[in-house]
Amino acid sequence: MSRKRVLITGGAGFLGSHLCERFLAEEYEVFCMDNLITGDLQNVDHLMGDQHFHFLNQDVTEYIHVPGKLDAVLHFASPASPIDYLLLPIQTLKVGSLGTHKALGLAHAKGARFLLASTSECYGDPLVHPQTEDYWGNVNPVGPRGVYDEAKRFAEAMTMGYHRFHGVQSRIIRIFNTYGPRMRMNDGRALPAFMSQALRGEPITVFGDGSQTRSFCYVDDLVEGIWRLLNSDETLPTNIGNPSEMTILQFAEKVVELTGTKSTISFKELPEDDPKVRQPDITKAKRILGWEPKVGLDEGLERTFAYFRNKIEEEQKASAGA
Ligand code: UDP
């Protein structure tokens, strides 16, 4: 029997690379598409020798060609950190809008199921807490995060348009803060920043007074949620995230404790429009997918720390050898 075939855009990114692994394990033929702006070939290097893995170096905002049938298209391409949005605002807008259009067009042409990686950023700086899927959000369209938030909101609208008008079998996941191995070290997000600062003995930079909250989900839990959502028949957005909420200061303290670093905490200016609270309400995911996160913060952070320690050791060896 021939294998099912999936296209994963942004497949060489943090989440994309974990999805490539999962779909290979599920015996799919995997087409990983990335233009490597924020993705990294190192994330999929270990898959290159697999005859069922195919890397396509392509910008998803251009016309996409994938030969043969496709059973699923997962659209994960996008810059995904506040620093990326500042450095790559136009690319962020384009991949969420034009890229989503191309990916949906391909799914439609192939009769494939489509899954959009959307985001808790759709809720903006939320006035409803925890966030349920029926909350429409509090987004500043012209702030620094607007390029990401509005592109993803447009992407959701476009996905529903293709579903309603063309009958595309679509799924929308709203992803909350997720962490794990293969996060980009210098993308400015809290976890890679804190881990690399701890490992280098540099001050841990907490923005504002650290009272803003986030809820961190380990990548394996997220991937399981994506797998279940794709295989469900739910077309409206579904939150996937870990509801265990903490302040960013508590999170920084946790990293200090776990890594045993001598780094101290230093406070920096809070970025514009930084959401004050964020916590997913996952009642829907529990009900329709039987999904909830399994990996606790200590365990997840230890696995992630091992990855960052390795990365920094490699970097130090390379610069010593240079
Ligand atoms: N943050 C911080 N120090 C850093 C990077 C981020 O205190 O070096 C804060 C940031 O202001 C935000 C939280 O950590 O309140 C999570 O930031 P991240 O960029 O990881 O994701 P966000 O949820 O804001 O998209």
Side-chain angles (χ1 to χ4, degrees):
M1 207 185 72
S2 73
R3 287 184 165 228
K4 285 192 171 181
R5 293 155 62 96
V6 62
L7 172 71
I8 302 173
T9 77
F14 162 47
L15 297 180
S17 64
H18 285 275
L19 287 168
C20 288
E21 279 176 350
R22 175 64 187 254
F23 279 80
L24 285 170
E26 300 288 350
E27 303 197 337
Y28 272 69
E29 203 74 25
V30 173
F31 294 83
C32 163
M33 185 174 283
D34 210 298
N35 65 358
L36 303 176
I37 292 190
T38 56
D40 188 340
L41 275 185
Q42 274 190 19
N43 290 337
V44 288
D45 200 36
H46 61 296
L47 305 177
M48 290 294 187
D50 189 320
Q51 58 168 323
H52 302 295
F53 179 78
H54 313 272
F55 179 72
L56 308 169
N57 187 338
Q58 210 180 310
D59 182 340
V60 70
T61 67
E62 309 286 344
Y63 179 80
I64 319 174
H65 175 68
V66 179
K69 69 155 190 164
L70 277 178
D71 298 283
V73 174
L74 274 62
H75 185 36
F76 276 72
S78 179
S81 82
I83 283 200
D84 290 342
Y85 315 147
L86 289 177
L87 295 174
L88 304 165
I90 313 292
Q91 288 93 331
T92 305
L93 281 159
K94 280 177 71 180
V95 75
S97 54
L98 306 181
T100 303
H101 183 217
K102 296 285 184 289
L104 275 162
L106 180 72
H108 180 219
K110 303 272 185 187
R113 197 168 271 206
F114 179 84
L115 185 141
L116 173 70
S118 187
T119 167
S120 56
E121 283 286 325
C122 288
Y123 303 122
D125 190 4
L127 305 176
V128 165
H129 190 68
Q131 292 77 57
T132 42
E133 288 89 349
D134 56 6
Y135 175 49
W136 292 352
N138 177 39
V139 170
N140 175 5
V142 295
R145 289 172 179 256
V147 295
Y148 184 64
D149 301 9
E150 295 297 4
K152 288 293 190 184
R153 289 165 65 99
F154 174 89
E156 289 196 2
M158 175 80 92
T159 302
M160 291 311 294
Y162 267 70
H163 172 66
R164 294 194 178 112
F165 188 73
H166 288 306
V168 168
Q169 283 300 310
S170 57
R171 312 284 177 262
I172 299 174
I173 171 178
R174 291 201 180 130
I175 300 173
F176 283 67
N177 292 69
T178 302
Y179 69 99
R182 305 200 200 114
M183 287 184 98
R184 226 163 78 236
M185 189 124 69
N186 57 353
D187 74 357
R189 277 183 285 187
L191 186 126
F194 293 172
M195 288 254 166
S196 53
Q197 288 158 348
L199 279 158
R200 295 192 173 109
E202 295 167 359
I204 309 275
T205 54
V206 167
F207 296 162
D209 61 5
S211 62
Q212 69 274 31
T213 68
R214 296 292 186 274
S215 312
F216 293 94
C217 182
Y218 188 67
V219 63
D220 290 0
D221 282 332
L222 185 89
V223 165
E224 179 62 27
I226 293 168
W227 175 254
R228 290 190 191 198
L229 182 63
L230 180 72
N231 291 303
S232 77
D233 55 11
E234 178 60 32
T235 50
L236 288 168
T238 305
N239 290 338
I240 300 283
N242 190 322
S244 79
E245 183 187 19
M246 64 177 65
T247 69
I248 289 300
L249 182 58
Q250 285 170 334
F251 186 56
E253 285 165 351
K254 186 94 207 156
V255 171
V256 169
E257 177 197 310
L258 184 120
T259 59
T261 180
K262 294 197 169 51
S263 296
T264 52
I265 291 180
S266 85
F267 293 90
K268 303 260 182 217
E269 201 182 329
L270 189 68
E272 195 180 333
D273 293 339
D274 199 288
K276 286 180 264 315
V277 288
R278 183 180 289 155
Q279 182 190 31
D281 182 316
I282 59 165
T283 310
K284 180 178 172 184
K286 278 187 184 161
R287 179 170 45 81
I288 65 168
L289 308 175
W291 177 88
E292 61 183 322
K294 298 253 178 317
V295 181
L297 189 64
D298 284 0
E299 187 187 343
L301 283 180
E302 269 168 34
R303 290 192 212 165
T304 312
F305 184 56
Y307 170 81
F308 279 106
R309 194 168 41 210
N310 237 334
K311 272 272 175 203
I312 289 202
E313 277 169 15
E314 276 171 19
E315 234 181 59
Q316 285 166 344
K317 269 189 219 144
S319 65

